[in-house]
Amino acid sequence: MQLFPTTVNVKHARIPERFQFACHWASLAQNSNHPTTQIAYESAISLMRDSLTFAPTLEVQHFRLIAMRESYEKLPLDYASFQIRTGRLEQAIETLEQGRALLWSEMRGLRTSVEQLRAADSHLAEQFAAVNRDLETLTMSGGSVEIDDGEVDGRKRMDPFSRLVVQQRHLLGKREEIISQIQALPGFEGFLKSPQFDTLRSAASHGPVIIINHCEWRSDILILLHDSPPSLITTAFDFYDRANSLKDQLLDARKEGLDSKRYEDALSSVLKELYHLVGRPVIQRLCELNVPQQSRVWLCPTSVFCSLPLHAMGPIPSNDGAKQYFLDMYIPSYTPTLSSLIESQKGGAETFETPSMLLVGQPGKSMPEAFKEVQVVQAIGPRVTSLISARATPSTVLERLRDHQFTHFVCHGILEPGKPFKASFKLYRGMRLTLLDIVRSRLPNAEFAFLSACHTAELTDESLADEGLHLAAAMQYCGFRSAVGTMWAMADTDGRDLAGNFYKSVFSGRREGIPHYARTAKALRDAVNKLRRKRKVTLERWVNFVHYGA
């Protein structure tokens, strides 16, 4: 055990190898209750983030994380479980935030607002904004990009990847120098440092956040509250294995088709087991915490729970014998991280006027019912701009998204197993609007996106669950405060009625004084319940729809 600190800190060794040593050290230390356990975990977390240093683009960074998958996926969950075991719940929440969704976190850091900094030092603010722009251009490139770094170009003999690495290292060094200068300014000491618990708890300002830490050492449920300490729910000894089997059961049954009896039975069994594993103890604790029914709640899952329909846990026993699910008792939304939820809730130029909407539709022979959904959305009013069929090209859609607060997609959603940045919307003549195209955009006026397409909130089995790389998360990243997505393929026959009931609720005058984007979670819940009551609507059709964000 004494040799681990030396090995982990050998500077000339490759970072991925040092990271693996640090993970091994942490695991052995925790298993033997060694006093170096915390130091080991902190070293591993730091090296995990450093491992992206020589990965200049998003796709290379994702590949690097995949290569470290076994250790990367477990590390923050294991460290949080250790902190929970030692009674440090607030630090556990910080660890889960720091060690998950690394790619979204790194990208969000490149879009840090400089408004407050500009008031203190305008020159430093401009320098910081400029280096961030250059790094973002590099990170989101698919190949070499030209960035003026003021140096004599002695890199022409390098291969393209090496050039990217050199460019990245130069920009990161420049950025670190600027950040150090910013942190030396009065009032900016914590600039771009990992968020502390007092900041993270603001994610619960509109309702509790339910964090599920799925870990082999010990699994726990934490309920984050805005004005009270976190509330801990311990779980049964077999919680970890039972959760794994639920995901396997669902994915295995899906091979026979979403409309198969086997999948319907498997989904029913999974929802019932989720209620016993998570729903029942959470509902009981929310009652003890005096959180009234019909409150907004946010689900922040980890690991296998990122692919499980927690919002529909049940049925829940009721006095009148009626089938009741979690979404009947509360208004659930998902959030991949606390920081993304905080970002979506930030105050801006809120307006209570009817928002402008961009409708992107690609109805056709493979989606015959999509025409009816398009007509329902067009009937909302004069503030709907339609890009249908030939008008719906990737470049036009991206350009017009900047002008609208709401957007509604009616088209095919495409997943690329193992290639999350190539997930896409299928537009005119098969042209693709990819996840990477979306994250490159900046949409300051965006508020809400309804993604009426297949797989828009789905993670493939090859994906890194805790990175949350799907189309709904991409919409949030580029500016949308909230989004509706799908956990698997959707039936186009459901789009018309779901959209009609959804927008009827959103634009109802009964909820005056609430911004329209903040009405969307309840509107989805109510529209889904109406869909659920229709004859011959199977379980998978209504469970499919999920809400993300504010």
Side-chain angles (χ1 to χ4, degrees), residues 231-245:
S231 183
L232 173 65
I233 302 173
T234 56
T235 63
F237 73 94
D238 59 351
F239 183 96
Y240 179 82
D241 291 331
R242 286 164 69 187
N244 283 334
S245 69

mmCIF file of all heavy atoms in Angstrom, residues 231-245:
data_model
loop_
_atom_site.group_PDB
_atom_site.id
_atom_site.type_symbol
_atom_site.label_atom_id
_atom_site.label_comp_id
_atom_site.label_asym_id
_atom_site.label_seq_id
_atom_site.Cartn_x
_atom_site.Cartn_y
_atom_site.Cartn_z
ATOM 1 N N SER A 231 -31.275 13.936 2.766
ATOM 2 C CA SER A 231 -31.925 12.837 3.488
ATOM 3 C C SER A 231 -31.465 11.514 2.870
ATOM 4 O O SER A 231 -31.562 11.319 1.652
ATOM 5 C CB SER A 231 -33.451 12.975 3.387
ATOM 6 O OG SER A 231 -34.093 11.963 4.126
ATOM 7 N N LEU A 232 -30.950 10.614 3.705
ATOM 8 C CA LEU A 232 -30.376 9.347 3.244
ATOM 9 C C LEU A 232 -31.368 8.201 3.401
ATOM 10 O O LEU A 232 -31.951 8.017 4.472
ATOM 11 C CB LEU A 232 -29.102 9.037 4.032
ATOM 12 C CG LEU A 232 -28.466 7.658 3.794
ATOM 13 C CD1 LEU A 232 -27.956 7.538 2.358
ATOM 14 C CD2 LEU A 232 -27.330 7.418 4.794
ATOM 15 N N ILE A 233 -31.539 7.432 2.331
ATOM 16 C CA ILE A 233 -32.319 6.190 2.388
ATOM 17 C C ILE A 233 -31.354 5.052 2.092
ATOM 18 O O ILE A 233 -30.791 4.970 0.984
ATOM 19 C CB ILE A 233 -33.459 6.185 1.344
ATOM 20 C CG1 ILE A 233 -34.404 7.377 1.562
ATOM 21 C CG2 ILE A 233 -34.231 4.873 1.391
ATOM 22 C CD1 ILE A 233 -35.450 7.534 0.465
ATOM 23 N N THR A 234 -31.121 4.191 3.053
ATOM 24 C CA THR A 234 -30.264 3.032 2.816
ATOM 25 C C THR A 234 -31.066 1.957 2.081
ATOM 26 O O THR A 234 -32.297 1.944 2.126
ATOM 27 C CB THR A 234 -29.723 2.466 4.143
ATOM 28 O OG1 THR A 234 -30.820 2.162 5.005
ATOM 29 C CG2 THR A 234 -28.822 3.481 4.839
ATOM 30 N N THR A 235 -30.367 1.077 1.401
ATOM 31 C CA THR A 235 -31.038 0.077 0.580
ATOM 32 C C THR A 235 -30.680 -1.339 1.047
ATOM 33 O O THR A 235 -29.736 -1.546 1.806
ATOM 34 C CB THR A 235 -30.649 0.227 -0.900
ATOM 35 O OG1 THR A 235 -29.238 -0.018 -1.036
ATOM 36 C CG2 THR A 235 -30.970 1.621 -1.413
ATOM 37 N N ALA A 236 -31.438 -2.308 0.539
ATOM 38 C CA ALA A 236 -31.212 -3.712 0.903
ATOM 39 C C ALA A 236 -29.882 -4.204 0.342
ATOM 40 O O ALA A 236 -29.347 -3.650 -0.621
ATOM 41 C CB ALA A 236 -32.360 -4.565 0.367
ATOM 42 N N PHE A 237 -29.357 -5.280 0.917
ATOM 43 C CA PHE A 237 -28.039 -5.800 0.534
ATOM 44 C C PHE A 237 -27.998 -6.257 -0.927
ATOM 45 O O PHE A 237 -26.944 -6.245 -1.565
ATOM 46 C CB PHE A 237 -27.633 -6.957 1.452
ATOM 47 C CG PHE A 237 -28.398 -8.236 1.191
ATOM 48 C CD1 PHE A 237 -27.886 -9.208 0.345
ATOM 49 C CD2 PHE A 237 -29.644 -8.456 1.785
ATOM 50 C CE1 PHE A 237 -28.592 -10.377 0.100
ATOM 51 C CE2 PHE A 237 -30.348 -9.618 1.528
ATOM 52 C CZ PHE A 237 -29.825 -10.591 0.682
ATOM 53 N N ASP A 238 -29.154 -6.658 -1.476
ATOM 54 C CA ASP A 238 -29.186 -7.164 -2.851
ATOM 55 C C ASP A 238 -29.661 -6.110 -3.860
ATOM 56 O O ASP A 238 -29.946 -6.432 -5.013
ATOM 57 C CB ASP A 238 -30.073 -8.411 -2.940
ATOM 58 C CG ASP A 238 -31.513 -8.145 -2.486
ATOM 59 O OD1 ASP A 238 -31.779 -7.056 -1.940
ATOM 60 O OD2 ASP A 238 -32.354 -9.045 -2.673
ATOM 61 N N PHE A 239 -29.742 -4.856 -3.441
ATOM 62 C CA PHE A 239 -30.210 -3.754 -4.282
ATOM 63 C C PHE A 239 -29.404 -3.681 -5.581
ATOM 64 O O PHE A 239 -29.960 -3.550 -6.676
ATOM 65 C CB PHE A 239 -30.096 -2.446 -3.496
ATOM 66 C CG PHE A 239 -30.600 -1.215 -4.208
ATOM 67 C CD1 PHE A 239 -31.888 -0.742 -3.986
ATOM 68 C CD2 PHE A 239 -29.783 -0.499 -5.078
ATOM 69 C CE1 PHE A 239 -32.350 0.410 -4.618
ATOM 70 C CE2 PHE A 239 -30.233 0.645 -5.706
ATOM 71 C CZ PHE A 239 -31.522 1.098 -5.483
ATOM 72 N N TYR A 240 -28.082 -3.752 -5.470
ATOM 73 C CA TYR A 240 -27.190 -3.595 -6.625
ATOM 74 C C TYR A 240 -27.469 -4.666 -7.678
ATOM 75 O O TYR A 240 -27.655 -4.357 -8.859
ATOM 76 C CB TYR A 240 -25.737 -3.671 -6.147
ATOM 77 C CG TYR A 240 -24.715 -3.539 -7.253
ATOM 78 C CD1 TYR A 240 -24.335 -2.299 -7.742
ATOM 79 C CD2 TYR A 240 -24.101 -4.681 -7.803
ATOM 80 C CE1 TYR A 240 -23.397 -2.171 -8.748
ATOM 81 C CE2 TYR A 240 -23.161 -4.562 -8.815
ATOM 82 C CZ TYR A 240 -22.806 -3.310 -9.282
ATOM 83 O OH TYR A 240 -21.879 -3.201 -10.285
ATOM 84 N N ASP A 241 -27.508 -5.910 -7.269
ATOM 85 C CA ASP A 241 -27.722 -7.010 -8.216
ATOM 86 C C ASP A 241 -29.130 -6.992 -8.801
ATOM 87 O O ASP A 241 -29.316 -7.283 -9.994
ATOM 88 C CB ASP A 241 -27.466 -8.355 -7.524
ATOM 89 C CG ASP A 241 -25.988 -8.558 -7.195
ATOM 90 O OD1 ASP A 241 -25.143 -8.020 -7.926
ATOM 91 O OD2 ASP A 241 -25.692 -9.238 -6.191
ATOM 92 N N ARG A 242 -30.105 -6.658 -7.984
ATOM 93 C CA ARG A 242 -31.492 -6.612 -8.492
ATOM 94 C C ARG A 242 -31.641 -5.530 -9.559
ATOM 95 O O ARG A 242 -32.324 -5.735 -10.578
ATOM 96 C CB ARG A 242 -32.468 -6.375 -7.337
ATOM 97 C CG ARG A 242 -32.672 -7.598 -6.453
ATOM 98 C CD ARG A 242 -33.318 -7.248 -5.136
ATOM 99 N NE ARG A 242 -34.717 -6.839 -5.261
ATOM 100 C CZ ARG A 242 -35.438 -6.364 -4.239
ATOM 101 N NH1 ARG A 242 -34.885 -6.238 -3.035
ATOM 102 N NH2 ARG A 242 -36.694 -6.019 -4.431
ATOM 103 N N ALA A 243 -31.002 -4.396 -9.361
ATOM 104 C CA ALA A 243 -31.066 -3.323 -10.359
ATOM 105 C C ALA A 243 -30.410 -3.756 -11.669
ATOM 106 O O ALA A 243 -30.933 -3.490 -12.757
ATOM 107 C CB ALA A 243 -30.399 -2.060 -9.821
ATOM 108 N N ASN A 244 -29.263 -4.407 -11.589
ATOM 109 C CA ASN A 244 -28.603 -4.907 -12.797
ATOM 110 C C ASN A 244 -29.504 -5.863 -13.562
ATOM 111 O O ASN A 244 -29.591 -5.808 -14.800
ATOM 112 C CB ASN A 244 -27.296 -5.619 -12.440
ATOM 113 C CG ASN A 244 -26.168 -4.646 -12.117
ATOM 114 O OD1 ASN A 244 -26.166 -3.509 -12.586
ATOM 115 N ND2 ASN A 244 -25.213 -5.087 -11.322
ATOM 116 N N SER A 245 -30.175 -6.750 -12.835
ATOM 117 C CA SER A 245 -31.023 -7.745 -13.491
ATOM 118 C C SER A 245 -32.229 -7.091 -14.160
ATOM 119 O O SER A 245 -32.711 -7.573 -15.193
ATOM 120 C CB SER A 245 -31.471 -8.819 -12.500
ATOM 121 O OG SER A 245 -32.376 -8.286 -11.554
#
